[in-house]
Amino acid sequence: MNRVIEVDVEARVAWVEPGVLNLDLSRMVTHLGLHYAPDPSSQQACTIGGNVATNAGGPHCLAAGVTSSHILALDIVLADGSVARLGGLEPDVPGLDLRGCFVGSEGTMGIATRIAVRLQPNPPCVRTLLLDFMSIDAAAATVSAIIAAGIVPSALEMMDARITRAVEDYVRAGYPRDAEAVLLAELDGLPAGVEAAVAVVDRVGREHGARTVRVAADAAERALLWKGRKSAFGAIARIAPDYYLHDAVVPRTRLVEVLHQVYEIAAAHELIVVNVFHAGDGNLHPILVFDARDPGIWDRVHAAGDAIVRACVAAGGVLSGEHGIGLEKRDLMPLVFNVDDLDAQARLRDAFDPDGRANPQKVLPRGSRCGETMRVPEGAWV
Amino acid sequence: MIELDALARTIAAANAVVVVGAGTKRDVGGAVPSGATEVRVPAGMVSYEPADMTVSVLGGTPVALLDGALAEHGQECPLDPRDSAATVGGVLAGGLSGHRRLRLGPARDRLLEVRFLTGDGRVVRGGGPTVKNVTGYDLPRLLVGSLGTLGVITQVTLRTQPRPQHSSWAVSDAPPDDVRDRLFRPTCLAWDGRATHVLLEGHPEDIASEQARAGLRRVDGPPTWPEHAHRGRASVRPGALGALAARLEEVACSWIAEGGVGTVHIGTDTEIALADARAAVEAESGWLLRETGAPNLDPFGIALPNFELMSRIKDAFDPSGKLNPGRLPYTRVAA
């Protein structure tokens, strides 16, 4: 199911099948002056159906919002084999927002077979800036100061020293190899507003210790700066052969203290951690980098990962910003939700799928329901 | 908080509960049987961190009070401003997005975290306080537009944004789709069938050049939204607005449509005219929600889609059926 079924240019809506690749959709409509806004770093490989399942984000979700804001309607198959259309192309549908429930439900409420997505007009003016800093604290303070100045960039990404060097060695995007942190900021819209915002970001950055503020001169340079950011995962192989990627969110104002904790946790477990993440959203992506052939390494990786997630939650954060819960974080759910909260979520899931047949055992830990017994249907693919 | 504890006890002890905010949406949805216990959620700011662009308030907080607190820091949370007395919880439960939706998105995209009381008096929290979050199921979006039938919204965390540097209304004789094609992301295209009122926000130079390029004439402010005894809010595909306008020519009503969105605000002097307007909307495959007056008109007109699934959710969240009974036409599902 990988076809784009229909593109309605006037309505700025596309109906797609779930297997359509995220980047393919934007490429297919760019000649119409449109794009699909959510842009996960994996957008060359990830599908719209998968994006719906995890309510995926991406750098440009800072201003544009995550997947749920861009899904208008879904045709789904429920676990009992019945079909339903959730949401619609009208602005409001009567009754409950089942569309909103389904997006981000990780396949536990059914399977989407057709998806209506909102397309956005391409901005007439785009400026991409690279700011580099001699401390990660200065970069993080700049993030907060940009927001405090009343600017919400379309994207605001941070990379730490180690990943910046690895990326530069990998794709030669012109990132400063000796920086302790770089910020990639993008501003788009109409020209006067964009140029005014560029001036604010430039000033705020320099006030907070930016060594250089590089404004991409043209589309090619802009693409190169983004190639650096989006190649980060490929570049990690230059540090060590294996990595474990985390995803957690903290309030923007707690970024600095949580980042320091992340480095301390990695050091305590004798691991390397690199950080490349959606700073504007407070969405951290600590990446533990290692060689899986080292004896006992997985225990250290899991222990460090667990400690990182707990540090984020302790700072008022959540378990996941855009990757979801699945099996990996399922048993951490009680860190952020109490029994009544989990019970309500279990009731919602059961209303869609009373027999627990859709993606069994994902998202909610055992014991979420009062008086729960284990129910894995016979023959289920787990 | 003592007030919330008392509220929880009241709800737990009641047989039927009707949730009242400022009382601005009593006519939305079906009537709640008389004799139901009226409950009100307290008002007040809980926390506000401008640098995080999030704010937490109690459900009974007036929208105007929230707006004033955010304005002190140059921020806003654009909830429907048509009735400034309305409460935050009421606007969210009603799913009202306001006229800037074209650019800023619907109300459901504002709500990050929700706390609500269940019929047996327990507090449930869904979502999270951060601007981005996929930790568990999206209970906040489920509560938006649920008309108080799943839980009593006691506290919410909302996403804020900088107030626009400048905003300006202008008018064009062209229909909204034509106007939109000449502009980059206008905030509102309010069309009454003759003229399109256009709200632009941003840098003053951009606004001026956009207005000049699209041939717009500046005006002092927004159009007057219909203020009649009987009012409804229609939802149609944005592309059907032209055809709907032609049909509404035959109906004694005044209306303003939000171009590019598909919301149509319709007001009439008689109940029968609102029924005629609904027939016109339904002929364009849309639906009309009664908002005010028209006591004999069905609140929704059409059957709710996915009725059984919604009823199962209602049963799961409110097994005794005591929360705003009758507001949405659920059926009891066999246990």
Side-chain angles (χ1 to χ4, degrees), chain B residues 43-123:
Chain B
M45 303 285 290
V46 177
S47 62
Y48 176 33
E49 180 49 75
D52 284 334
M53 287 201 296
T54 59
V55 63
S56 297
V57 299
L58 297 178
T61 308
V63 169
L65 191 147
L66 169 64
D67 191 55
L70 299 179
E72 287 181 25
H73 294 270
Q75 294 188 350
E76 63 170 355
C77 179
L79 299 171
D80 186 4
R82 281 183 297 162
D83 196 329
S84 59
T87 63
V88 171
V91 168
L92 292 170
L96 294 169
S97 297
H99 65 273
R100 296 162 73 203
R101 177 175 182 165
L102 178 63
R103 167 109 191 203
L104 304 180
R108 62 182 185 240
D109 289 352
R110 292 275 146 200
L111 182 58
L112 302 171
E113 182 179 50
V114 64
R115 284 178 171 80
F116 58 92
L117 281 165
T118 61
D120 52 1
R122 289 173 298 128
V123 178

Side-chain angles (χ1 to χ4, degrees), chain A:
Chain A
M1 302 182 103
N2 58 4
R3 292 176 306 155
V4 173
I5 299 162
E6 181 193 351
V7 177
D8 184 338
V9 178
E10 193 54 42
R12 296 176 182 169
V13 172
W15 276 100
V16 304
E17 292 181 334
V20 170
L21 297 184
N22 176 300
L23 188 57
D24 284 355
L25 176 59
S26 277
R27 281 186 178 146
M28 199 172 290
V29 297
T30 188
H31 71 284
L32 303 168
L34 300 171
H35 68 285
Y36 176 65
D39 59 340
S41 297
S42 58
Q43 68 184 137
Q44 291 189 8
C46 65
T47 63
I48 301 294
N51 294 169
V52 166
T54 61
N55 193 10
H60 286 87
C61 290
L62 175 57
V66 292
T67 297
S68 188
S69 299
H70 301 273
I71 302 301
L72 298 169
L74 300 143
D75 286 344
I76 67 161
V77 181
L78 286 111
D80 65 1
S82 61
V83 298
R85 171 162 295 182
L86 312 183
L89 303 185
E90 306 82 17
D92 299 305
V93 293
L96 306 175
D97 182 14
L98 302 180
R99 175 209 58 83
C101 290
F102 188 90
V103 177
S105 65
E106 303 189 23
T108 62
M109 292 179 182
I111 296 171
T113 55
R114 290 193 353 145
I115 302 161
V117 305
R118 182 194 308 284
L119 301 173
Q120 298 283 3
N122 296 338
C125 179
V126 183
R127 288 281 181 275
T128 306
L129 289 76
L130 187 76
L131 298 82
D132 75 284
F133 297 86
M134 289 314 289
S135 82
I136 202 146
D137 290 20
T142 301
V143 170
S144 287
I146 289 170
I147 301 290
I151 306 283
V152 181
S154 52
L156 190 52
E157 302 282 303
M158 198 193 293
M159 297 167 68
D160 71 8
R162 210 185 288 257
I163 193 68
T164 300
R165 276 197 299 278
V167 160
E168 183 53 27
D169 293 345
Y170 184 51
V171 297
R172 311 262 174 232
Y175 288 21
R177 287 187 83 263
D178 60 342
E180 283 300 312
V182 300
L183 281 182
L184 191 62
E186 188 154 278
L187 301 142
D188 66 28
L190 293 163
V194 169
E195 296 310 337
V198 166
V200 171
V201 171
D202 184 295
R203 173 176 58 76
V204 167
R206 291 181 197 279
E207 282 171 6
H208 287 81
R211 284 191 309 180
T212 57
V213 179
R214 171 178 160 198
V215 184
D218 53 27
E221 189 179 358
R222 214 169 64 231
L224 189 62
L225 291 180
W226 274 112
K227 187 179 177 192
R229 166 63 182 88
K230 296 205 171 186
S231 303
F233 294 100
I236 284 166
R238 305 186 75 88
I239 303 172
D242 301 290
Y243 71 85
Y244 197 110
L245 166 65
H246 277 273
D247 166 47
V249 190
V250 297
R252 206 164 4 232
T253 45
R254 310 288 296 272
L255 263 181
V256 172
E257 70 177 270
V258 174
L259 273 172
H260 284 297
Q261 288 180 48
V262 166
Y263 290 114
E264 286 160 15
I265 290 165
H269 292 84
E270 295 172 39
L271 290 165
I272 295 171
V273 67
V274 299
N275 281 288
V276 44
F277 62 99
H278 312 306
D281 290 320
N283 188 180
L284 292 169
H285 285 319
I287 305 167
L288 297 167
V289 188
F290 55 93
D291 186 338
R293 290 167 300 188
D294 289 352
I297 186 77
W298 281 107
D299 289 343
R300 276 152 54 204
V301 168
H302 287 305
D306 189 71
I308 287 171
V309 171
R310 286 172 192 272
C312 290
V313 171
V318 295
L319 299 179
S320 174
E322 55 185 13
H323 295 180
I325 299 301
L327 294 172
E328 181 199 29
K329 291 179 173 169
R330 180 192 63 189
D331 295 331
L332 296 172
M333 286 282 275
L335 283 180
V336 287
F337 292 119
N338 69 23
V339 289
D340 288 327
D341 305 336
L342 289 172
D343 176 66
Q345 295 192 35
R347 286 166 185 251
L348 178 60
R349 190 251 156 94
D350 291 352
F352 276 85
D353 177 20
D355 299 321
R357 288 152 52 99
N359 244 1
Q361 299 193 34
K362 301 280 174 65
V363 183
L364 295 176
R366 285 182 71 177
S368 295
R369 300 161 185 83
C370 302
E372 180 180 25
T373 54
M374 273 302 288
R375 304 175 303 182
V376 179
E378 210 168 312
W381 297 0
V382 178

Side-chain angles (χ1 to χ4, degrees), chain B residues 23-306:
Chain B
T24 58
K25 294 169 193 69
R26 285 180 192 275
D27 296 342
V28 177
V32 176
S34 60
T37 305
E38 281 201 2
V39 300
R40 289 167 198 272
V41 176
M45 303 285 290
V46 177
S47 62
Y48 176 33
E49 180 49 75
D52 284 334
M53 287 201 296
T54 59
V55 63
S56 297
V57 299
L58 297 178
T61 308
V63 169
L65 191 147
L66 169 64
D67 191 55
L70 299 179
E72 287 181 25
H73 294 270
Q75 294 188 350
E76 63 170 355
C77 179
L79 299 171
D80 186 4
R82 281 183 297 162
D83 196 329
S84 59
T87 63
V88 171
V91 168
L92 292 170
L96 294 169
S97 297
H99 65 273
R100 296 162 73 203
R101 177 175 182 165
L102 178 63
R103 167 109 191 203
L104 304 180
R108 62 182 185 240
D109 289 352
R110 292 275 146 200
L111 182 58
L112 302 171
E113 182 179 50
V114 64
R115 284 178 171 80
F116 58 92
L117 281 165
T118 61
D120 52 1
R122 289 173 298 128
V123 178
V124 169
R125 187 175 61 84
T130 54
V131 290
K132 203 168 170 190
N133 177 26
V134 291
T135 308
Y137 297 129
D138 199 337
L139 297 187
R141 279 194 172 83
L142 180 64
L143 269 287
V144 174
S146 65
L147 298 180
T149 60
L150 300 182
V152 179
I153 297 174
T154 55
Q155 185 177 322
V156 295
T157 302
L158 299 156
R159 192 165 55 85
T160 67
Q161 65 186 33
R163 290 179 107 83
Q165 184 187 359
H166 189 72
S167 64
S168 173
W169 282 95
V171 71
S172 165
D173 296 329
D177 282 357
D178 291 358
V179 178
R180 189 186 62 168
D181 288 345
R182 302 175 211 157
L183 299 168
F184 176 69
R185 302 195 63 190
T187 305
C188 179
L189 299 168
W191 185 47
D192 63 5
R194 295 176 297 280
T196 302
H197 276 72
V198 183
L199 176 61
L200 298 179
E201 295 176 337
H203 193 285
E205 286 175 30
D206 288 330
I207 292 175
S209 63
E210 288 273 281
Q211 286 172 336
R213 197 157 53 85
L216 306 179
R217 305 182 302 278
R218 282 203 183 190
V219 292
D220 289 339
T224 307
W225 306 98
E227 286 180 0
H228 296 63
H230 308 282
R231 293 200 300 274
R233 187 173 93 242
S235 276
V236 298
R237 293 176 184 219
L241 285 176
L244 175 60
R247 291 183 189 276
L248 289 176
E249 289 279 315
E250 311 297 320
V251 180
C253 66
S254 66
W255 56 269
I256 290 183
E258 296 179 33
V261 174
T263 300
V264 190
H265 307 272
I266 302 177
T268 65
D269 291 328
T270 66
E271 184 162 13
I272 191 83
L274 195 59
D276 292 343
R278 169 176 282 168
V281 170
E282 291 179 354
E284 292 302 328
S285 304
W287 65 289
L288 183 142
L289 175 78
R290 180 188 65 198
E291 285 198 314
T292 299
N296 301 305
L297 197 67
D298 182 273
F300 302 99
I302 58 166
L304 266 59
N306 304 305

